[in-house]
Amino acid sequence: MRKDPPALKPRKLPVQARSATTVEALHAATIQVLTQQGLARCTTTRIAARAGASVGSLYQYYPNRDALLAAVLARKLSGVSAAVDLACRAQQGQPIAQMAVALTRAFLAAKLHNPDESKALYAVAAQRGGAALIAQAQASMVVSIATMLASAADVHVANPAVTAEVALNTLVGSVRALLEGLMSPEVAATLETQLGALLTAYFQTHAVARAAASALARE
Amino acid sequence: MRKDPPALKPRKLPVQARSATTVEALHAATIQVLTQQGLARCTTTRIAARAGASVGSLYQYYPNRDALLAAVLARKLSGVSAAVDLACRAQQGQPIAQMAVALTRAFLAAKLHNPDESKALYAVAAQRGGAALIAQAQASMVVSIATMLASAADVHVANPAVTAEVALNTLVGSVRALLEGLMSPEVAATLETQLGALLTAYFQTHAVARAAASALARE
Amino acid sequence: MRKDPPALKPRKLPVQARSATTVEALHAATIQVLTQQGLARCTTTRIAARAGASVGSLYQYYPNRDALLAAVLARKLSGVSAAVDLACRAQQGQPIAQMAVALTRAFLAAKLHNPDESKALYAVAAQRGGAALIAQAQASMVVSIATMLASAADVHVANPAVTAEVALNTLVGSVRALLEGLMSPEVAATLETQLGALLTAYFQTHAVARAAASALARE
Amino acid sequence: MRKDPPALKPRKLPVQARSATTVEALHAATIQVLTQQGLARCTTTRIAARAGASVGSLYQYYPNRDALLAAVLARKLSGVSAAVDLACRAQQGQPIAQMAVALTRAFLAAKLHNPDESKALYAVAAQRGGAALIAQAQASMVVSIATMLASAADVHVANPAVTAEVALNTLVGSVRALLEGLMSPEVAATLETQLGALLTAYFQTHAVARAAASALARE
DNA sequence: CATGAATGAGTCTTCATTCAT
DNA sequence: GATGAATGAAGACTCATTCAT
């Protein structure tokens, strides 16, 4: 008999205390192995060994290797999403230039806080199932950013969702280049400034000054 | 058993017609298998079979699987680099806004000409050895773009290399999002326009009008 | 990506000479391991080792363990079917009592020629896919037997197909009991005689004397 | 790790009500899992889960998985044996034709009452230890049948034990074919009749009319 | 007594690579 | 040069059994 469609969801919820410990250890171990050995060498055996557990335990909590990797990726993505969302909420009603800078800063901080981990997870994201998680995180961030943009004090952004998405892709592109070692030191050194300026310029392109907008509306 | 120092260079140059044919078939087969089955199932046996050759023949031309994959990736990257270079040369001395648009168009065209192939090759790029090839291609494109920017008719770009790199990362970020299915239809539909506008705005931020620059220089 | 419906068919036809050798060795080894260690311990590794080959070779010819087992079973069943068919053809037009004896003798000989092998294959037959092979062999034998019965010189068998099937099941039941060691020495010693008598009696129950039949028809 | 001398006896007798309940639930669960998932997927964990117990509890009552399976098989076999025995006792002193029919009916009823269960248990019977249980049940039934045959009103069966054994194997053969789906609808529809006739014919072959026997004895 | 987390040996299966033909 | 059979290390995953809680 064949297996059902291979779930990527965790297999069961830990009910005993030590379960939580094991799951946590597996998460940490996965990131370590991923970081130090790469995705190809990130085997269930190695993860379990690093976690001080047995393969059996790993499979008690995850139906397969991909599910574990997906869980680790999902957690990381949630963290980034949350950080971006937090920053966006804090900028509600501010001028658009400040928003651009704050968004850039928050995103870079979240992604670069643990660069090795972020880099290692790119490989995971490329796996089956990774795209969906990324998509979800991106969507969440687009909403946060769009909401923020719509509240800008000084300008009226014509199409916040589209603008937010393009902006996010831009940030992602640069961060990826940085993490993968493709970025020159000159750019890396001034990345935040560069991206802040870039986004500011971009946002203003797609925006109309509030005053003008109001005037238009009044006519 | 894996060897420790796995050369990534082709084993020999095809000097005979038959060789060239086989190599060509292997390249094409690799892309097909990669596209249709994914990197994990892109095995030497399958590639050879698809190419109508034997595994033995494959190893006649490439020392190992990674070398073949690297060669395929390298060729694709050269193509993109060349396309970008061509476009940049054609824009020498033009206004900066036109450069932004032309660059965007050329890059998108090169990457999206065969989207499945481009997407499949991301997985290859994530492999050991892929980063170096990407780095090389990026560097080449940065030079092309920077040279173009420096020749802009209307503005003087302060630091063309840095600006070029940031711009390239931006383009890469959006293309990647598109290829991986992370882009909303709205953005995808107007991608070229959006990116053209974004880059135009960005370039102008980092630039000083030629007249002003001359004036400044004259003082 | 998941695998296609798991074929039980051999993977490829041997084109080189040594292939045939390997396949033959695998067959023989399978039977040996099955006989000596039982189905549960009949692992691909053990089979390959016994065959003096590597696991890899095994999988070159069979897509999975079950396919190999199925092939071994199928070959055995063909042998039995063929033997029964041969015997039945030889009895065309003979008196029914002689048919019963000849059938019994042929079936017992085929099954008991290599009792360990026959016994070991019962476990295989119980596996997924085994039933189909058995069904096929049974069907073939039923046809052979029914054809024979229909040609009996002395009696007219009313429903040869049904009679043949019941007879075959009877033979199978006794042989199985014998092979699995469930048969008392007394019965085992006279098995052929007993079954011959049983089938003769049964056949005559379901038959009408040719003379009577002709008479009936003539009325 | 498997232990070398794996006792197949239940570890302890259920003396408390709760125990009896658990054991009962385990039995029922085993049959369900066996029926629905097959022997290979009939794991201790699954059985326990289905029984609403924990693996630990399972091992409280059975030293290992095989012992549980053996117990389930044994119970089923006892049931069949008992049914046959009951029927045989009821036929004491009856004419032999009636005995044949009654025996057939009883055996078929017992085996086909729950066909899925019967079929699933074949796999268990093929395991190590299963043969012994089968042998025991067969022996018991042979005694019952032989005793019955010896008491036939109309005929004197020469060797009741042998005749009984051959008859039982015949029944078993047909039932097995039916359960494993090897039987054609035509035969299945009239199975009881066919087997009744077959056995009647067979019994009479091995018998001498009582009158004749008495006459012979008197000479 | 019950629970269920942990264990890890043992399965099947794949695939890069070699080398005799 | 070409072929493709053989190799065997390595990976994912299962499951009977134990034992701390």
Side-chain angles (χ1 to χ4, degrees):
Chain A
M1 209 176 295
R2 285 276 139 168
K3 277 185 297 197
D4 311 2
L8 284 183
K9 298 264 164 197
R11 187 168 255 172
K12 72 174 172 191
L13 298 181
V15 296
Q16 291 187 5
R18 55 180 169 162
S19 298
T21 308
T22 302
V23 167
E24 199 46 52
L26 287 172
H27 260 258
T30 302
I31 292 172
Q32 284 178 42
V33 176
L34 216 42
T35 301
Q36 292 164 21
Q37 318 235 20
L39 179 57
R41 303 192 71 77
C42 186
T43 69
T44 52
T45 311
R46 265 189 270 264
I47 292 171
R50 179 66 60 100
S54 64
V55 233
S57 289
L58 189 161
Y59 280 92
Q60 199 118 58
Y61 298 104
Y62 300 95
N64 50 54
R65 174 178 168 270
D66 284 359
L68 169 54
L69 292 173
V72 170
L73 175 60
R75 179 190 285 198
K76 172 70 177 185
L77 291 174
S78 311
V80 175
S81 278
V84 166
D85 189 52
L86 195 68
C88 287
R89 286 178 193 280
Q91 297 300 318
Q92 291 282 339
Q94 298 299 314
I96 199 122
Q98 189 181 321
M99 285 175 170
V101 171
L103 169 62
T104 302
R105 192 193 313 274
F107 187 76
L108 292 187
K111 282 286 194 183
L112 303 180
H113 176 258
N114 198 334
D116 285 341
E117 180 184 345
S118 292
K119 180 173 190 302
L121 285 173
Y122 278 137
V124 175
Q127 303 265 90
R128 202 178 68 102
L133 294 171
I134 300 264
Q136 190 184 325
Q138 302 260 59
S140 155
M141 288 189 281
V142 166
V143 169
S144 299
I145 299 170
T147 306
M148 173 183 75
L149 291 179
S151 78
D154 47 350
V155 298
H156 172 78
V157 177
N159 197 335
V162 165
T163 304
E165 195 177 323
V166 172
L168 183 54
N169 289 338
T170 297
L171 292 174
V172 167
S174 274
V175 165
R176 185 159 208 143
L178 177 57
L179 288 173
E180 297 193 335
L182 298 172
M183 191 170 280
S184 69
E186 293 76 26
V187 174
T190 60
L191 185 58
E192 199 170 310
T193 316
Q194 292 281 339
L195 289 174
L198 190 160
L199 290 188
T200 302
Y202 174 58
F203 289 159
Q204 283 166 344
T205 300
H206 273 255
V208 188
R210 280 265 175 231
S214 306
L216 245 74
R218 237 177 286 122
E219 280 179 20
Chain B
M1 210 180 297
R2 281 290 170 81
K3 276 187 300 192
D4 276 10
L8 284 184
K9 299 261 167 196
R11 188 170 261 172
K12 65 180 176 188
L13 296 180
V15 288
Q16 298 182 1
R18 183 172 39 169
S19 299
T21 304
T22 303
V23 166
E24 197 48 50
L26 287 172
H27 264 255
T30 302
I31 291 172
Q32 285 179 41
V33 177
L34 213 43
T35 301
Q36 292 164 19
Q37 317 235 18
L39 179 56
R41 302 189 72 78
C42 184
T43 70
T44 52
T45 308
R46 263 187 270 263
I47 292 172
R50 179 66 62 102
S54 66
V55 233
S57 290
L58 190 159
Y59 279 88
Q60 200 79 40
Y61 298 105
Y62 298 94
N64 52 55
R65 175 179 172 268
D66 284 359
L68 168 56
L69 292 174
V72 171
L73 175 60
R75 177 188 286 197
K76 172 72 178 184
L77 292 174
S78 311
V80 175
S81 279
V84 167
D85 190 52
L86 196 67
C88 288
R89 285 178 195 281
Q91 297 300 319
Q92 290 283 340
Q94 298 298 315
I96 198 118
Q98 190 181 321
M99 285 176 170
V101 171
L103 169 62
T104 301
R105 190 193 314 272
F107 188 76
L108 291 187
K111 281 287 195 183
L112 303 181
H113 176 259
N114 198 334
D116 286 340
E117 180 185 344
S118 292
K119 183 171 189 303
L121 286 173
Y122 278 138
V124 176
Q127 303 263 85
R128 202 174 67 98
L133 293 171
I134 301 262
Q136 189 185 324
Q138 302 259 58
S140 155
M141 287 188 280
V142 166
V143 169
S144 300
I145 300 171
T147 304
M148 173 183 74
L149 292 180
S151 78
D154 49 350
V155 298
H156 172 79
V157 178
N159 197 334
V162 165
T163 303
E165 196 176 324
V166 172
L168 183 56
N169 289 338
T170 297
L171 292 174
V172 167
S174 275
V175 166
R176 185 159 209 140
L178 178 56
L179 288 174
E180 297 194 335
L182 298 172
M183 190 169 280
S184 70
E186 292 77 27
V187 173
T190 61
L191 185 57
E192 200 171 310
T193 316
Q194 292 280 338
L195 289 175
L198 190 159
L199 290 187
T200 301
Y202 174 58
F203 288 158
Q204 285 167 343
T205 302
H206 273 256
V208 189
R210 279 268 175 228
S214 305
L216 244 75
R218 239 178 286 124
E219 278 179 21
Chain C
M1 211 175 295
R2 282 277 138 168
K3 275 186 299 197
D4 312 0
L8 283 184
K9 298 265 164 196
R11 187 170 257 173
K12 73 174 170 189
L13 298 181
V15 296
Q16 290 186 7
R18 54 180 170 164
S19 298
T21 306
T22 303
V23 168
E24 199 47 52
L26 287 172
H27 260 259
T30 303
I31 292 172
Q32 285 179 41
V33 176
L34 215 42
T35 301
Q36 291 163 21
Q37 317 236 21
L39 179 57
R41 303 191 72 76
C42 185
T43 68
T44 52
T45 310
R46 265 188 271 262
I47 292 172
R50 177 67 59 102
S54 65
V55 236
S57 289
L58 192 161
Y59 280 92
Q60 199 119 58
Y61 298 104
Y62 300 94
N64 51 54
R65 174 179 168 269
D66 284 359
L68 169 55
L69 292 173
V72 171
L73 175 60
R75 178 188 285 197
K76 173 70 177 183
L77 291 175
S78 311
V80 175
S81 279
V84 166
D85 189 52
L86 196 67
C88 288
R89 287 178 193 279
Q91 298 299 319
Q92 291 282 342
Q94 298 298 316
I96 198 119
Q98 190 181 321
M99 285 175 170
V101 171
L103 170 61
T104 303
R105 191 193 313 273
F107 188 75
L108 292 187
K111 280 288 195 183
L112 303 180
H113 176 259
N114 197 334
D116 285 341
E117 180 184 346
S118 292
K119 181 174 191 301
L121 287 173
Y122 278 137
V124 176
Q127 303 264 91
R128 199 177 70 101
L133 293 171
I134 300 265
Q136 190 184 324
Q138 302 259 58
S140 156
M141 288 189 280
V142 166
V143 170
S144 299
I145 300 171
T147 305
M148 174 183 74
L149 292 179
S151 78
D154 49 350
V155 298
H156 172 78
V157 177
N159 196 336
V162 166
T163 305
E165 195 176 325
V166 172
L168 183 55
N169 289 339
T170 299
L171 293 173
V172 167
S174 275
V175 165
R176 184 159 209 141
L178 177 57
L179 288 173
E180 296 194 335
L182 298 172
M183 191 170 279
S184 70
E186 292 78 26
V187 174
T190 60
L191 186 57
E192 200 170 308
T193 315
Q194 292 280 339
L195 289 174
L198 190 158
L199 289 188
T200 302
Y202 174 57
F203 288 159
Q204 284 168 343
T205 301
H206 272 255
V208 188
R210 280 265 174 231
S214 304
L216 245 75
R218 239 177 284 124
E219 278 179 22
Chain D
M1 211 179 296
R2 281 291 170 79
K3 276 188 301 194
D4 275 12
L8 285 184
K9 300 259 164 198
R11 188 168 262 170
K12 64 180 175 188
L13 296 179
V15 289
Q16 298 183 3
R18 183 174 38 169
S19 300
T21 304
T22 303
V23 166
E24 198 47 53
L26 287 173
H27 265 254
T30 302
I31 290 172
Q32 285 179 43
V33 177
L34 215 41
T35 300
Q36 292 163 21
Q37 317 235 19
L39 179 57
R41 303 188 71 79
C42 184
T43 69
T44 51
T45 309
R46 265 187 269 262
I47 293 172
R50 179 67 61 102
S54 65
V55 234
S57 291
L58 189 159
Y59 279 88
Q60 200 78 40
Y61 297 106
Y62 298 94
N64 51 53
R65 175 178 172 268
D66 284 358
L68 168 56
L69 292 174
V72 171
L73 175 60
R75 177 188 285 196
K76 172 70 179 184
L77 291 174
S78 311
V80 176
S81 279
V84 167
D85 190 51
L86 196 67
C88 287
R89 287 179 194 280
Q91 297 300 319
Q92 291 282 340
Q94 298 298 317
I96 198 120
Q98 190 180 322
M99 285 175 171
V101 171
L103 170 60
T104 301
R105 193 193 312 272
F107 188 76
L108 292 186
K111 281 288 195 182
L112 303 180
H113 176 258
N114 197 334
D116 285 342
E117 180 185 345
S118 292
K119 181 171 191 302
L121 287 172
Y122 278 137
V124 176
Q127 303 263 85
R128 204 172 65 97
L133 294 171
I134 301 262
Q136 189 184 325
Q138 302 260 59
S140 155
M141 287 189 281
V142 166
V143 169
S144 299
I145 299 170
T147 305
M148 172 183 74
L149 291 180
S151 78
D154 47 352
V155 297
H156 172 76
V157 177
N159 196 336
V162 165
T163 303
E165 196 176 324
V166 171
L168 182 54
N169 289 338
T170 297
L171 292 173
V172 167
S174 275
V175 166
R176 184 157 210 142
L178 178 56
L179 288 173
E180 297 194 335
L182 298 173
M183 190 169 280
S184 70
E186 292 76 27
V187 174
T190 61
L191 186 58
E192 200 171 309
T193 316
Q194 293 280 338
L195 289 174
L198 191 160
L199 290 188
T200 302
Y202 174 58
F203 289 159
Q204 284 167 342
T205 300
H206 274 255
V208 189
R210 279 269 176 227
S214 304
L216 244 74
R218 240 178 284 124
E219 280 179 18

